[in-house]
Amino acid sequence: MATEKYSVNSHMVETILAWINSNEIAIPEIQRPFVWDSTKVRDLIDSLYQGYPIGYIIAWKNPDVRLKDGSMSLGKKVLIDGQQRITALTAALLGHEILDSDYNVKPIRISFNPITEVFEVQNPAILKDKEWVHDISTLIKEDISPLALVREYIKKNPEVDESKIDKVIENLRGIIKKPIGMIELAHDLDIDTVTEIFIRINSKGVVLSQADFAMSKIASNEEYDGHILRKAIDYFCHLAVAPEFYQQLVRCDSKFISTEYFSKMKWLKNENDDIYDPDYSDLLRVAFTTEFNRGKLSDLVSLLSGRNFETRTFEAEIAENSFNRLSKSVKRFMSETDFKRYVMCITSAGFKSSTLIRAQNPLNFGYILYLKMREQNESTAKIEKIVRRWYVMSILTGRYSGSPESSFDYDIKQVNIRGAEDYLKDIEQANLSEAFWDASVVQSLNTSVASSPYFNTFLASQIYFKDKGFLSKDITVDDLIQYRGDVHHIFPRDFLKKRGLKRGQYNQIANYVYMQSDINIHVGNKEPKIYFNEILAQCESGEPKYGNIKNKEALFDNLDMHCIPKNILNYGFDEYDLFLQERRKLIAAKLKEYYRSL
């Protein structure tokens, strides 16, 4: 018979709020930005007033942990769904301030008109109108007499019916007696089961990641400063994207800026690089895998809860040790030296623009590998070579696109057992054979998706080799990408479109090239054999029309850089498919040369 996985109970609003104030319920999101707009808070209060249901909140009980003296510490309830509603209630009914999306601390004041029984977000017009109760939290406080409230309102609005106002204000104060459903999940459920229950219960179909559960566990444990660690992770990720947030952080969170975490991250205030902008899931995954040599965040949740994997019990010593280790690894992640050197590894492979980076997991494992090799005191040259190759290998093979957690878990264990260099060689022998370069890559280049990892890696290879733009003598591909140049078609799109080809046919990535806009304008909708013959003519005359190439040697060098077959000088519409086949093979060959030179 299946064991009970959760219990369902109904509690009054005031009971839930009291539990939060007494820390019986931990709200892990309380230090994160409040994403609801004020009108949604207003609507929530109105629903309670009208007696409409506002949905269930879901809590997951932390396990009871055995302390060193043998006694048991009872676990808190961790709120995993309903944070926004609870935060809205504390703001509107208790007057608590919230953090907005810019991390500004501010109040949300909800006003109420007892005559019309309408709620509204407080605004300057309402503040001037005597018919409105400007802030409903002033009516909810228990130390205020309801009779005094009614008399004060009647004094300002003598024409209204006192008995009606008395009843309306009584109903408003009754909001805190309204019921909220709570679903409490058992402490011994694994993350997969919790996720499944969450999805089935949550009508919005929101999916929580394992990182969400891990962050909830971190924030709910103040005994080991988990709430500070949670802030550090959030603040670092926000600063990485918005360096201007630094001044606000200093102004609004004086306690946090005295921590070691802050000293580790303050370099971000002057950092505008966007090659690696991790979110909290990325940071947590890298820190955990690096320190614990595991790839599954469900294991982190268990360790932070104090789980002993052998005895299947929960021990305070394991929880404390896990928090300490995770904290240490998070600080390593934030290290300016390590972070910047890792990014330099990636950019030195040609990935100098964030537009070429479409997936975070290859970046994440690359950083894990970098940190592990640094920990093992490997030479800088060796680290850079292995990290570059690993990153490109993982992109070209889609290593972390399917089940990244399982792949992370397997790879980190193999790296620890065999060493990064030897393990990478084994992967190359198994997955990067001649057949991979000559057949698999060629086939993968048969796509119209401009963000294809193969095309992006090809562009990175052109940056790596310092290739010039198509038909350019001085402007590099790097220049064109960095300064937002455009991808154009070698066989002009309009030319192919007018001959009946569909989008997926003329937008093949084997037909794409980075080209200066003025050169593209001169190409217009001419087929290659026409505009290339005009280029040959300019090589003879020395009067450039297309770029600044003035001799055949420079022209053929440029074609080589872009993996364009030299026969294109004679190609028209009938040779378009042949051109695509030939160029895919040439691109694949260049990718092989690029990889092996890293």
Side-chain angles (χ1 to χ4, degrees):
M1 182 177 177
T3 58
E4 198 64 44
K5 294 180 173 63
Y6 62 89
S7 60
V8 182
N9 295 290
S10 182
H11 303 285
M12 290 188 296
V13 169
E14 65 177 348
T15 302
I16 300 293
L17 296 179
W19 283 345
I20 291 168
N21 286 334
S22 65
N23 287 325
E24 187 170 340
I25 294 180
I27 307 182
E29 303 288 335
I30 202 67
Q31 293 298 343
R32 306 193 76 205
F34 182 68
V35 297
W36 278 14
D37 61 35
S38 299
T39 58
K40 202 166 183 179
V41 179
R42 174 202 64 195
D43 294 343
L44 177 73
I45 300 300
D46 185 61
S47 292
L48 280 173
Y49 183 79
Q50 301 292 344
Y52 299 149
I54 62 169
Y56 287 95
I57 61 175
I58 305 176
W60 185 12
K61 188 176 182 296
N62 268 330
D64 300 337
V65 175
R66 185 171 299 281
L67 303 176
K68 292 179 181 179
D69 62 4
S71 63
M72 298 297 291
S73 173
L74 301 181
K76 297 179 181 179
K77 299 177 180 71
V78 180
L79 202 62
I80 64 169
D81 185 46
Q83 294 96 330
Q84 299 294 311
R85 277 169 289 167
I86 295 300
T87 303
L89 290 175
T90 60
L93 302 182
L94 301 182
H96 291 183
E97 294 182 321
I98 58 95
L99 289 174
D100 66 14
S101 58
D102 294 320
Y103 286 78
N104 290 311
V105 178
K106 69 174 189 179
I108 293 180
R109 303 289 185 237
I110 302 300
S111 302
F112 178 66
N113 188 321
I115 299 173
T116 60
E117 296 184 65
V118 169
F119 292 92
E120 192 52 79
V121 179
Q122 188 187 93
N123 60 51
I126 285 175
L127 289 173
K128 296 176 182 178
D129 193 332
K130 63 184 180 180
E131 286 189 2
W132 287 83
V133 174
H134 298 156
D135 181 358
I136 63 171
S137 70
T138 62
L139 302 183
I140 302 299
K141 296 175 182 177
E142 294 182 356
D143 57 348
I144 298 179
S145 163
L147 181 60
L149 290 171
V150 173
R151 287 178 176 174
E152 183 181 348
Y153 188 82
I154 294 299
K155 187 176 180 180
K156 296 178 181 177
N157 300 275
E159 72 282 0
V160 301
D161 185 336
E162 182 174 344
S163 62
K164 178 186 176 183
I165 298 302
D166 180 57
K167 184 177 180 180
V168 168
I169 289 183
E170 182 181 349
N171 288 341
L172 176 63
R173 286 170 61 88
I175 280 179
I176 61 173
K177 304 293 184 183
K178 299 289 185 178
I180 297 181
M182 174 183 280
I183 298 168
E184 187 174 342
L185 308 181
H187 79 270
D188 56 352
L189 296 178
D190 58 58
I191 284 184
D192 291 336
T193 304
V194 172
T195 303
E196 180 64 24
I197 293 173
F198 180 87
I199 292 171
R200 293 190 183 204
I201 292 172
N202 195 309
S203 61
K204 298 177 185 177
V206 178
V207 178
L208 289 184
S209 70
Q210 294 194 351
D212 292 317
F213 291 123
M215 291 288 269
S216 295
K217 291 290 186 182
I218 292 169
S220 66
N221 196 320
E222 295 187 15
E223 183 178 359
Y224 306 129
D225 292 332
H227 60 302
I228 300 175
L229 175 58
R230 172 62 180 261
K231 275 189 179 184
I233 293 170
D234 278 331
Y235 285 160
F236 182 92
C237 295
H238 192 64
L239 267 176
V241 176
E244 63 276 10
F245 171 61
Y246 176 83
Q247 296 299 332
Q248 191 172 319
L249 174 56
V250 171
R251 185 175 66 251
C252 297
D253 201 338
S254 57
K255 288 184 179 179
F256 182 78
I257 63 175
S258 65
T259 67
E260 188 179 355
Y261 295 114
F262 178 73
S263 66
K264 290 288 186 181
M265 70 173 70
K266 62 184 182 181
W267 61 271
L268 287 170
K269 67 180 179 180
N270 299 316
E271 187 62 35
N272 292 303
D273 189 284
D274 62 352
I275 296 298
Y276 187 28
D277 284 340
D279 62 19
Y280 68 88
S281 177
D282 300 318
L283 194 160
L284 197 59
R285 192 176 302 283
V286 171
F288 170 61
T289 303
T290 303
E291 175 62 26
F292 292 84
N293 298 315
R294 295 170 178 263
K296 297 181 179 179
L297 288 178
S298 57
D299 289 345
L300 176 59
V301 173
S302 296
L303 288 165
L304 294 175
S305 300
R307 182 177 179 82
N308 184 319
F309 288 102
E310 294 182 2
T311 63
R312 297 187 178 182
T313 58
F314 294 89
E315 303 170 13
E317 190 172 357
I318 292 175
E320 182 177 12
N321 182 54
S322 298
F323 269 95
N324 289 338
R325 292 177 65 188
L326 182 62
S327 172
K328 179 186 74 172
S329 193
V330 166
K331 290 169 187 172
R332 277 199 67 197
F333 183 104
M334 295 176 175
S335 162
E336 179 180 10
T337 299
D338 285 329
F339 195 92
K340 286 186 173 180
R341 284 183 179 176
Y342 171 62
V343 171
M344 284 175 61
C345 286
I346 301 303
T347 57
S348 68
F351 291 88
K352 296 176 67 174
S353 169
S354 60
T355 61
L356 303 180
I357 297 172
R358 298 291 179 174
Q360 284 292 95
N361 279 324
L363 274 178
N364 291 337
F365 198 87
Y367 197 20
I368 292 167
L369 195 65
Y370 171 88
L371 291 172
K372 293 300 288 188
M373 294 184 75
R374 284 270 292 165
E375 187 180 272
Q376 295 160 1
N377 295 316
E378 298 282 6
S379 69
T380 300
K382 185 176 181 180
I383 292 174
E384 291 175 353
K385 176 182 177 181
I386 298 301
V387 168
R388 279 196 299 260
R389 282 200 167 197
W390 191 289
Y391 178 68
V392 174
M393 175 276 297
S394 62
I395 291 174
L396 292 177
T397 60
R399 192 169 187 83
Y400 303 116
S401 58
S403 302
E405 281 209 334
S406 297
S407 298
F408 273 42
D409 194 64
Y410 182 80
D411 283 345
I412 194 60
K413 287 177 170 59
Q414 294 302 312
V415 166
N416 282 325
I417 293 170
R418 299 153 68 182
E421 186 174 29
D422 289 343
Y423 182 42
L424 177 57
K425 286 179 181 177
D426 289 344
I427 293 174
E428 289 171 340
Q429 289 177 2
N431 299 309
L432 303 184
S433 64
E434 293 301 318
F436 171 79
W437 299 110
D438 297 341
S440 179
V441 173
V442 172
Q443 184 177 358
S444 297
L445 288 166
N446 187 358
T447 177
S448 62
V449 180
S451 60
S452 160
Y454 297 93
F455 184 60
N456 283 337
T457 306
F458 169 61
L459 294 176
S461 76
Q462 290 195 290
I463 294 174
Y464 177 80
F465 287 123
K466 298 179 172 57
D467 291 345
K468 300 295 190 295
F470 182 57
L471 301 180
S472 295
K473 180 184 177 184
D474 302 306
I475 305 297
T476 65
V477 173
D478 187 8
D479 295 329
L480 291 170
I481 293 176
Q482 293 284 350
Y483 297 102
R484 301 295 186 265
D486 297 318
V487 174
H488 295 293
H489 297 69
I490 299 169
F491 273 72
R493 177 177 58 184
D494 188 55
F495 168 78
L496 295 174
K497 198 173 180 179
K498 287 181 176 178
R499 282 153 183 79
L501 295 192
K502 305 296 184 183
R503 182 188 300 270
Q505 293 172 297
Y506 59 72
N507 276 345
Q508 283 288 308
I509 62 175
N511 193 30
Y512 291 154
V513 70
Y514 261 90
M515 184 193 314
Q516 292 172 245
S517 294
D518 58 321
I519 297 176
N520 184 60
I521 291 171
H522 285 298
V523 169
N525 63 356
K526 303 167 190 169
E527 59 186 336
K529 64 182 179 183
I530 292 178
Y531 72 79
F532 269 106
N533 274 290
E534 292 178 352
I535 295 171
L536 286 174
Q538 84 178 27
C539 290
E540 296 292 336
S541 66
E543 297 178 6
K545 176 181 178 182
Y546 300 86
N548 199 30
I549 292 177
K550 299 179 181 179
N551 61 74
K552 291 182 180 179
E553 182 180 0
L555 172 61
F556 291 127
D557 283 346
N558 189 267
L559 295 180
D560 286 339
M561 292 176 186
H562 291 273
C563 302
I564 297 173
K566 293 180 176 57
N567 287 336
I568 195 168
L569 276 64
N570 303 310
Y571 283 175
F573 175 72
D574 292 339
E575 289 77 31
Y576 178 59
D577 286 337
L578 174 62
F579 159 75
L580 294 178
Q581 294 170 21
E582 291 178 333
R583 191 170 187 232
R584 288 173 192 138
K585 291 177 181 177
L586 292 172
I587 291 175
K590 180 158 186 163
L591 287 174
K592 178 170 68 173
E593 178 193 1
Y594 160 68
Y595 181 80
R596 291 179 176 177
S597 69
L598 290 173

